[in-house]
Each structure stands twice: as structure tokens, then as C-alpha cells.
Amino acid sequence: MIPSNQDIAALVRGDSVHKSVYTDPVLFQLEMERIYGQAWIYVGHDSQVKNVGDYHTTRLGDQDVIMVRGANKQVNVLYNRCPHKGAKLVADGDGNVGKFFRCPYHAWTFRLDGEHLSAPLKSGFEGTCYDPRHPDFQMVSVARVESYRGFVFASQAAHGPDLKTFLGGVISSIDNLCDRSPVGEVEVAGGVFRVMQRSNWKVFYENLHDTMHARVTHESSFEAARSEASAIGEMPFELLIMDGNGEPYDFWEKLELRAYHNGHGYMEGIFDPAAATRDPVSRAHFQALSEAHGEDRAREILGMNRHNTVIYGSGSPHTVFQQFRVIRPVSVDRTLVEIQTFRLKGAPDEVFDRALTYANVINSPSSNVMPDDVEVYARCQEGNLTRGGDWISMHRYAGSDTELPDGAVSTNGTSELPMRNQFAAWKHFMTATLIAKESTHAA
């Protein structure tokens, strides 16, 4: 039975949520319709489809879609379905289809914008209602597609706020990622990592700004980094980025957590940007930016120090280390995470090499850090299936957040403001006909 809006709203309190939001398959299906069927969702970067006919497949919630470069050089987003028998037109992944799509089942063809091109043995359609111009015989485009600085988003809803309005203040993280390039452009490069997690998609978003977990969950990795640094007499970059999780609680308490409407936000960076300018890679990066924009602007760009940004429903850009962790729900207890790494056009090669190192050491399936998170996410999923209690606590510093016109900011870096903000957005999307507007942490 589909729950009423009132029943759904009752699952989210100002300081806690009911465990069924992570475990109920009916709620998951409603999320696919009401969140992923409405919000702007990141599809991919236009550098993944550089040439006419290049395509990249992905998902908008539970819908398989194709991002493709059209004949007019525009990026199209189409549902991955032939209107004849419903076969997926292209296999999952990336490639080039040439000048048109050709179905592998009966060879129906379609232009790169989805327009029906031809079908074999047209004589067989004489006297029928077959009309290649009719919508029933076209590939279907996703309702709305917009791009911001090369980042392509799509919404399955025909109406609603435009992309910039939806992103709000969090758009500044995309700007900073691109501005770190001396020419203001980035491209996906170096391959991607994919990790299938045995947990609900919302757990990952919460953990991105959960500063209380770092020194507990990642104890084994930062202790190993410190032990190795002691043995070799120095703390190289590969160990430093693991050691960062071991900072004491008073360090995390001083960080800023910023929440924006629609569930977005960011966490202040944990690596000192001033200290980073003393290493050779950062100095070379600063020099390249200074030559392009002057030293003051270069300091401003590199001084924006953010660790994880949350674009709710899409994933998490990391501006300093040039990544986008794309978060794709698969089922109520399975989530696919794809880690894309970006090259800053015009920046020294060493800057990209550093980004690849960070991706391998911190985010890869074989790293010493990622498996810690994946394990506790799975334990949360399993624990919430027991009869050991019904409510998930989000009480830390509840009621103390500083309200702002576009969201809120934490008064303490260990606040659970980001989680409360995300569930305010969740409740709004899931009960849109009931609740027109929410504050960032109201019940």
C-alpha cells in the first residue's frame, strides 16, 4: 500500500527519522518517482561525449538514459529504449554510435536527437497506423536538460525551477572546481572507479558531512599512516591524506558545515590551504593561475577550501582534489558509487597526478579508507532491519543552527545539521503536494 503524504511526513522529525526511510522498498520506489523523477540530477560531464555520436550511459533514479553528442553538437539525454520492442539501444558504458542509433534487435534507426529515421521493409507497414513522425515511434528525450560549465543535469519533470535555482549556493563549488583550471575548464580523465555498496543511497550523503565518524571508522587507516610515517621519518602526501581522518575532536568542532535548500551543502576542507602552497605541486599550480588571473585571484581560488560538497540526488564534488563521486540508487539496499576524476585544463600535469593519487588512496575499492565506510554503511542497513529500535538520532546541536536566507550554517562542526537539512529536502520532495516549503531543520 502506498503511504499517504501525512504518513510520510511523520517519518521525519526535527531531530530524528524513522528507520523505514532506509529499508522500505515502497518508499524507495516513491523516491524514484518523487525525488529522482522531479529534481535536477547529474548525468555526466560534456567532456565524456566530445565528438558527434559519442555517448555515455547512466541512470536517473531507476531510469536508464543515454547522454549523447548530437549532430548539431548539442548534448542530448534520451531514455535508453527502442520504441519498437523496448530493447536498450546501447549497452551500458561509453562509445560512439556514428551518425545514428541502430537497434540491435530489428535495426530500427534513430537520429542522435531521438527522431525516428527508418525501419527495414517499410512495405510491411502499409495500411497500418505506423507513422515515423508520431511520438510513439520516436526515442523519448528526458523532459529538461541543462548544462552548467560542462556539468550536464537532467530533470524528468516538465516543469519546475531551472538548474541554477535548484542548485542555489552550492553552485559555487562547481565554479571553484572549474576556476582551479587556468582556462576555467575541466574534463573527465583517467578512468573511473565503481563501487557497489550494500546500503541505502541516503546513508552515503549523510556520511559525507559526518565529522564524528572520521577518527572512529577510519582509525585503522590513519594509525597505519602514522606508523609508516614514523618508520620512514616523513609524512608524504599519500600518508598525509589518510592521516587527516585522525584529527582530534576539537579540530572537527571548528569546521564549518553549510546547508543550502534542496538538501545541498558543503563541509569545510580539512587540509590547510596555506600549508599546501609550500609543496612543489601547489606552487606550480599557483604560478599557472597567477599567470592567467594575477596573484590575488589565484589566492582567492585556491583559498576556497572545501572537502566534500553535496549536490543532493547527484553526488559529491571534491573541488580540491578534482573529483565527483556520483551516487546512483539501485535498490533499497544497493547503491552504486562512481568516482570521476577531472583534469584541470591548462594546469601542470602534476596537479592531475595528485588528484589520481588521492582517488586511488582514498576512494578506490582497494584503498585503506573506502572499505571502512562501505562496511559501516552495510552494518547500518542490517541493523535497521532488526527490532532493536525504530528511530535514527540526528540530535547533535539540533536547534542551534544559524538560519540564513538560503539555508543554514552550523555553530559547531560536529553538528548533524547536514543530515537534518537533507531530510527536510527529502520530506519536501516526497510530500510536495502537502508541504510547500520547509526550513532547513524544521519538523
Side-chain angles (χ1 to χ4, degrees):
M1 176 182 292
I2 297 177
S4 67
N5 282 352
Q6 288 82 358
D7 290 339
I8 293 173
L11 300 175
V12 179
R13 299 170 175 172
D15 54 15
S16 53
V17 298
H18 195 272
K19 67 181 184 182
S20 62
V21 301
Y22 304 99
T23 61
D24 187 341
V26 174
L27 288 176
F28 176 83
Q29 191 55 49
L30 287 177
E31 290 170 345
M32 298 303 98
E33 299 170 11
R34 299 183 183 183
I35 299 177
Y36 285 87
Q38 300 290 327
W40 286 99
I41 306 297
Y42 176 65
V43 178
H45 193 267
D46 66 9
S47 63
Q48 294 173 281
V49 289
K50 293 181 179 180
N51 305 306
V52 172
D54 283 354
Y55 70 86
H56 169 74
T57 66
T58 187
R59 288 169 67 85
L60 298 180
D62 58 357
Q63 299 296 303
D64 290 312
V65 298
I66 310 166
M67 179 175 68
V68 60
R69 180 76 66 174
N72 61 358
K73 305 298 178 68
Q74 297 298 307
V75 174
N76 304 312
V77 181
L78 308 163
Y79 291 100
N80 193 356
R81 177 187 183 273
C82 175
H84 179 213
K85 293 293 186 180
K88 290 174 70 171
L89 281 161
V90 296
D92 293 342
D94 300 81
N96 185 286
V97 294
K99 295 181 179 180
F100 53 84
F101 292 103
R102 181 180 183 272
C103 182
Y105 198 5
H106 297 94
W108 283 35
T109 57
F110 307 88
R111 302 186 195 278
L112 299 178
D113 61 0
E115 179 185 350
H116 184 77
L117 188 58
S118 67
L121 297 177
K122 290 184 179 180
S123 60
F125 296 109
E126 291 176 358
T128 74
C129 63
Y130 168 77
D131 179 355
R133 297 165 297 179
H134 193 278
D136 286 352
F137 301 99
Q138 317 286 326
M139 291 178 67
V140 177
S141 299
V142 175
R144 293 184 294 160
V145 178
E146 290 191 29
S147 177
Y148 183 77
R149 300 194 71 168
F151 291 81
V152 179
F153 291 77
S155 171
Q156 298 185 75
H159 305 287
D162 62 21
L163 176 61
K164 286 186 179 181
T165 301
F166 173 77
L167 292 174
V170 82
I171 207 168
S172 58
S173 289
I174 297 178
D175 282 331
N176 186 246
L177 174 56
C178 296
D179 290 345
R180 286 172 177 262
S181 157
V183 299
E185 297 180 4
V186 300
E187 61 182 352
V188 175
V192 298
F193 291 121
R194 291 181 177 86
V195 182
M196 183 66 77
Q197 301 181 353
R198 296 173 291 121
S199 51
N200 187 267
W201 64 275
K202 295 183 289 297
V203 176
F204 194 111
Y205 283 100
E206 295 172 42
N207 191 70
L208 286 165
H209 294 167
D210 185 338
T211 57
M212 287 296 294
H213 89 285
R215 61 178 291 106
V216 180
T217 301
H218 300 299
E219 182 178 12
S220 61
S221 57
F222 75 71
E223 288 290 358
R226 291 174 179 178
S227 176
E228 180 66 14
S230 177
I232 65 177
E234 62 176 329
M235 180 71 78
F237 177 75
E238 293 83 352
L239 299 179
L240 175 67
I241 54 180
M242 286 195 290
D243 178 65
N245 282 318
E247 296 287 358
Y249 284 126
D250 60 359
F251 169 86
W252 301 101
E253 288 186 302
K254 295 172 185 174
L255 294 181
E256 178 181 273
L257 299 172
R258 184 68 161 85
Y260 295 105
H261 296 320
N262 296 320
H264 312 315
Y266 67 78
M267 167 188 160
E268 186 180 0
I270 65 175
F271 301 107
D272 181 4
T277 59
R278 293 193 287 269
D279 76 85
V281 176
S282 295
R283 284 200 301 269
H285 191 187
F286 176 76
Q287 181 63 32
L289 284 173
S290 297
E291 291 174 359
H293 306 297
E295 290 191 359
D296 289 345
R297 177 59 177 151
R299 289 192 183 92
E300 181 183 7
I301 292 169
L302 296 180
M304 182 180 282
N305 188 24
R306 297 181 181 178
H307 196 60
N308 294 325
T309 291
V310 165
I311 300 178
Y312 194 63
S314 291
S316 177
H318 194 309
T319 60
V320 176
F321 294 119
Q322 303 145 231
Q323 294 179 32
F324 200 131
R325 280 180 283 179
V326 185
I327 302 171
R328 302 296 189 210
V330 176
S331 66
V332 70
D333 60 356
R334 292 291 186 275
T335 302
L336 178 65
V337 179
E338 179 183 273
I339 298 93
Q340 300 176 352
T341 306
F342 290 83
R343 187 195 310 275
L344 307 178
K345 293 184 179 181
D349 291 340
E350 294 83 0
V351 177
F352 180 60
D353 292 342
R354 182 174 61 183
L356 289 178
T357 298
Y358 185 88
N360 278 278
V361 173
I362 303 299
N363 295 138
S364 77
S366 59
S367 78
N368 288 336
V369 180
M370 167 77 82
D372 295 336
D373 290 320
V374 173
E375 171 69 16
V376 295
Y377 301 162
R379 291 195 186 194
C380 289
Q381 195 70 30
E382 293 164 2
N384 281 325
L385 292 172
T386 73
R387 297 189 181 95
D390 290 333
W391 291 90
I392 307 295
S393 169
M394 296 181 179
H395 287 77
R396 287 194 65 82
Y397 290 95
S400 71
D401 310 316
T402 301
E403 293 279 354
L404 299 171
D406 59 351
V409 64
S410 64
T411 55
N412 186 288
T414 65
S415 171
E416 288 176 313
L417 163 65
M419 299 75 167
R420 294 188 290 269
N421 183 56
Q422 289 165 23
F423 272 101
W426 183 90
K427 185 166 75 170
H428 171 72
F429 279 115
M430 293 289 283
T431 63
T433 59
L434 174 68
I435 300 171
K437 186 177 180 181
E438 298 264 4
S439 70
T440 55
H441 64 272

